[in-house]
Amino acid sequence: MNDFLIIFAKEPKNGKVKTRLHDYLSENLCVDLYKAFLKDTLDFTDKIACEHKIIAYDSNGRSPEYLKNIAPRYTFYKQKHGSLGGRMHNAFRFAKDAGASKVIIFGSDSPT
């Protein structure tokens, strides 16, 4: 079996994550909250048996240093631009082209 688990994640930067909460939380607190969500997501997905674990990342044109630091055991795939549906389609296509027989995409914005 050639299973793929793809986690959609953003490089946590001020003004780029949890932006809908900016009326209630500072940008720094939004980044801290998102980092906690990332940690919870990785803690959960680390327990899943799967041949290929991928971080499909958006890093606003920069290297995803934070993500690489907290998830060194994952393979990294840069998300293509477009709508969420389009980015997910491209991630599924990436996995299929790599020989996936099963694929699941897991978001990191709300780990519960």
Side-chain angles (χ1 to χ4, degrees):
M1 208 155 298
N2 206 8
D3 299 341
F4 278 64
L5 171 66
I6 301 173
I7 300 169
F8 266 50
K10 293 180 181 179
E11 183 72 3
K13 297 287 182 192
N14 280 347
K16 300 296 182 184
V17 295
K18 309 311 292 173
T19 56
R20 292 185 189 122
L21 295 177
H22 286 177
D23 288 345
Y24 310 99
L25 301 173
S26 70
E27 287 184 357
N28 286 340
L29 284 175
C30 287
V31 168
D32 290 344
L33 177 63
Y34 186 69
K35 285 179 177 180
F37 283 175
L38 283 170
K39 182 183 179 307
D40 289 348
T41 298
L42 292 171
D43 286 347
F44 176 77
T45 58
D46 280 345
K47 298 172 187 163
I48 297 171
C50 182
E51 290 88 1
H52 303 280
K53 293 185 180 180
I54 312 291
I55 300 284
Y57 70 92
D58 177 7
S59 62
N60 297 301
R62 297 187 172 107
S63 178
E65 296 304 321
Y66 180 83
L67 294 171
K68 286 181 177 180
N69 187 47
I70 67 166
R73 60 213 168 274
Y74 287 74
T75 300
F76 283 77
Y77 164 80
K78 186 175 183 352
Q79 292 180 29
K80 308 279 190 261
H81 295 288
S83 67
L84 176 59
R87 293 190 319 265
M88 291 171 70
H89 174 81
N90 288 329
F92 275 117
R93 173 70 61 203
F94 165 78
K96 184 178 182 324
D97 290 347
S101 58
K102 293 181 184 177
V103 180
I104 188 168
I105 291 180
F106 198 93
S108 59
D109 271 341
S110 56
T112 59

